């Protein structure tokens, strides 16, 4: 029989998982709100401070909580009755978690850095730059998508839809 967590260990792991998800959601919301606020900047310094805040959030409230969420989610699914591939809702959460992390690593991080570079180079007039606007729209759209994914994953955690994965008959 596979290893199973006792109730106390499971409760501790669930608490860590929930805290990491909450941090991830909070960081994603903060990134979205700061990105929107960026468009209303009054001067170059305000844009720089906003970008600095976005970089701190990206580094501390997105990356590590997202990875901790993935790690604790896998442990919880493997060491409890749910299993990693027994239920469609668990598989859906795993795929969406990996997808949002990959989007953050390969796109959102780079776009945020590019916005910072444009602001450093151009100052306040960066807001009029076409590349800035295109990148800004990408950051807002991606952050919005990530929020929707995180909200959807939260709902399916509680409702556990889609049923069990059917075993193939030999």
């Amino acid at each position: 029989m596979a290893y199973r967590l006792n109730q106390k260990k499971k409760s501790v792991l669930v608490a860590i998982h929930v805290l990491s998800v909450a941090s991830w959601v909070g960081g994603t919301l903060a990134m979205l709100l700061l990105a929107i606020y960026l468009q209303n900047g009054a001067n170059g310094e305000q844009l720089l401070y906003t970008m600095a805040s976005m970089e701190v959030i990206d580094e501390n409230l997105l990356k590590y909580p997202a990875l901790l969420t993935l790690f604790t989610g896998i442990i919880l699914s493997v060491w409890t009755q749910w299993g990693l591939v027994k239920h469609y809702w668990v598989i859906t959460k795993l795929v969406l978690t990996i997808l949002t992390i990959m989007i953050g690593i390969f796109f959102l991080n780079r776009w945020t850095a590019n916005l910072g570079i444009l602001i450093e180079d151009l100052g306040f007039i960066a807001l009029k730059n076409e590349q800035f606007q295109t990148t800004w729209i990408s950051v807002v759209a991606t952050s919005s998508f990530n929020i929707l994914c995180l909200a959807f994953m939260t709902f399916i955690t509680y409702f556990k839809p889609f049923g069990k994965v059917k075993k193939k008959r030999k």
Side-chain angles (χ1 to χ4, degrees):
M1 184 169 157
Y3 177 77
R4 294 283 184 241
L5 293 171
N6 64 34
Q7 189 58 43
K8 186 173 183 174
K9 289 178 183 176
K10 180 181 173 188
S11 295
V12 168
L13 202 54
V14 167
I16 293 168
H17 185 71
V18 169
L19 287 171
S20 62
V21 170
S23 296
W24 190 12
V25 169
T28 304
L29 274 172
M31 285 288 282
L32 177 60
L33 292 174
L34 285 171
I36 292 168
Y37 178 75
L38 199 59
Q39 280 292 342
N40 301 315
N43 56 52
E45 281 187 12
Q46 191 177 29
L47 296 179
L48 283 172
Y49 291 131
T50 303
M51 282 309 305
S53 297
M54 289 175 72
E55 289 171 3
V56 168
I57 289 167
D58 183 37
E59 197 62 41
N60 297 296
L61 286 176
L62 292 182
K63 291 178 183 173
Y64 301 116
L67 293 173
L68 186 59
T69 297
L70 177 62
F71 180 70
T72 56
I74 289 171
I75 291 174
L76 280 167
S77 63
V78 170
W79 287 348
T80 63
Q81 78 275 12
W82 299 112
L84 193 57
V85 292
K86 286 183 182 177
H87 299 268
Y88 285 112
W89 69 271
V90 177
I91 296 169
T92 302
K93 283 181 63 173
L94 178 63
V95 168
L96 286 176
T97 299
I98 292 170
L99 175 67
T100 54
I101 289 171
M102 293 294 112
I103 287 171
I105 290 170
F106 294 114
F107 299 104
L108 197 55
N109 190 281
R110 183 170 38 98
W111 291 333
T112 304
N114 288 345
L115 288 177
I117 291 167
L118 285 169
I119 290 170
E120 285 176 6
D121 291 347
L122 303 174
F124 187 65
I125 61 171
L127 291 176
K128 305 279 188 227
N129 182 283
E130 185 179 334
Q131 182 184 357
F132 180 91
Q133 290 299 321
T134 303
T135 305
W136 177 83
I137 289 169
S138 298
V139 168
V140 170
T142 303
S143 296
S144 299
F145 173 78
N146 286 352
I147 286 292
L148 289 173
C149 286
L150 291 165
F152 179 70
M153 288 188 279
T154 300
F155 278 99
I156 66 173
T157 298
Y158 290 100
F159 293 108
K160 297 174 180 39
F162 315 130
K164 283 183 109 173
V165 174
K166 307 265 190 279
K167 292 183 181 178
K168 292 183 180 180
R169 294 182 183 180
K170 293 181 182 182

